[in-house]
Amino acid sequence: MKKKIIYIFISLLVLYAVIMSFCMYQTAHQPVPQKADYVLVLGSKVDGDQMSPSLKERAKTALSYLKTHKQTKVIVTGGKGSDEEISEAEAAYRFLRKEGIKKNRIIKEDQSTSTFENFTFTKKKVDIQHKKVVLVSSDFHLFRASIIAKRQGFDIYPLGAKTPNSIKLQAYFREYAAILKTWLFDK
C-alpha cells in the first residue's frame, strides 16, 4: 500500500511537471504584435553592477524588438537587492542606452522586489489601460508572469528570452513550485 501511494505521488508530480513545461513552452512561443505600446522587461539578479546572464538575455530580447519597432517604449523593472550595487532596472537601462536606445524611450521602475511588484509599481508609473504590452522575461518564467500580469489588468503579449543553460534546471524546478503558489495563494 505504501509503495502504491509513493508511486501515485511521483506520477502526479511528473504529470504536473510535464503539463507545466508545456504551458511554459506554449506561453513563451506566442506571436507578439507589431505595434506594441510598451515592452516591459522583468528584472533579474544583478551581480554587483553587472547584469546576470538571465537579465542580459531579457535585455537583449527587448533590444531586438525595440530596434525593429521604433515607436515602442520600454519599461525596465527591478529594484536593488542588498547584495547589488545598482537596481536591476538601472542595469537594464544602462545596457539599452549603450546599445543606442534613446533615453526618452526608456522608463525605469526600480522599486520592485518580486514579479507581482514589477506590475504593481509599473501601473503607478505608466497608464497601461488599453495599451498593448510585450512582456519580456525568461522563457520558463513567462507563464506565471502572464498570470500575474492579467490579474493586474495588463493586456500582455509574452516574448520569451533564452534561459541560460547554467541555471536552467534550478530555474525550472523553482518555477514549478512558484506556479503552484501563484495558483493557490496569490489572488
Side-chain angles (χ1 to χ4, degrees), residues 4-179:
K4 188 174 183 177
I5 292 171
I6 292 171
Y7 175 76
I8 290 169
F9 180 72
I10 290 172
S11 297
L12 289 173
L13 282 178
V14 169
L15 180 62
Y16 172 75
V18 168
I19 292 170
M20 290 306 99
S21 295
F22 175 77
C23 291
M24 288 187 259
Y25 178 86
Q26 188 178 32
T27 301
H29 291 88
Q30 293 179 14
V32 293
Q34 293 303 309
K35 294 191 178 191
D37 299 295
Y38 297 98
V39 169
L40 175 59
V41 183
L42 297 183
S44 187
K45 183 108 176 88
V46 172
D47 299 316
D49 67 349
Q50 300 296 308
M51 291 191 291
S52 65
S54 290
L55 184 55
K56 189 162 200 158
E57 287 299 328
R58 293 174 187 190
K60 285 171 32 183
T61 299
L63 177 65
S64 179
Y65 186 93
L66 292 166
K67 282 189 171 184
T68 58
H69 301 86
K70 303 287 185 192
Q71 81 289 352
T72 303
K73 292 187 175 190
V74 60
I75 305 161
V76 290
T77 68
K80 178 183 170 297
S82 60
D83 60 341
E84 298 172 328
E85 292 176 25
I86 61 173
S87 70
E88 297 162 4
E90 179 64 26
Y93 173 86
R94 289 178 183 180
F95 172 83
L96 293 171
R97 290 288 293 133
K98 184 178 174 189
E99 294 295 325
I101 301 301
K102 292 187 174 153
K103 200 178 197 178
N104 66 348
R105 290 180 68 195
I106 307 171
I107 300 162
K108 275 194 282 186
E109 179 288 295
D110 59 1
Q111 300 302 306
S112 57
T113 60
S114 68
T115 304
F116 181 84
E117 287 182 356
N118 289 147
F119 297 112
T120 301
F121 296 146
T122 293
K123 284 195 312 190
K124 291 178 181 179
K125 284 195 158 282
V126 181
D127 178 15
I128 53 93
Q129 191 106 20
H130 310 296
K131 304 287 188 199
K132 286 185 181 173
V133 179
V134 171
L135 176 63
V136 175
S137 190
S138 301
D139 49 15
F140 74 88
H141 183 242
L142 276 173
F143 176 64
R144 182 171 59 93
S146 296
I147 292 168
I148 295 167
K150 287 175 185 172
R151 286 179 181 168
Q152 292 199 38
F154 282 77
D155 181 15
I156 58 106
Y157 300 86
L159 178 59
K162 181 182 170 212
T163 300
N165 287 332
S166 61
I167 66 158
K168 209 172 250 188
L169 189 62
Q170 173 193 357
Y172 273 82
F173 278 111
R174 185 176 154 265
E175 194 66 13
Y176 296 141
I179 291 168

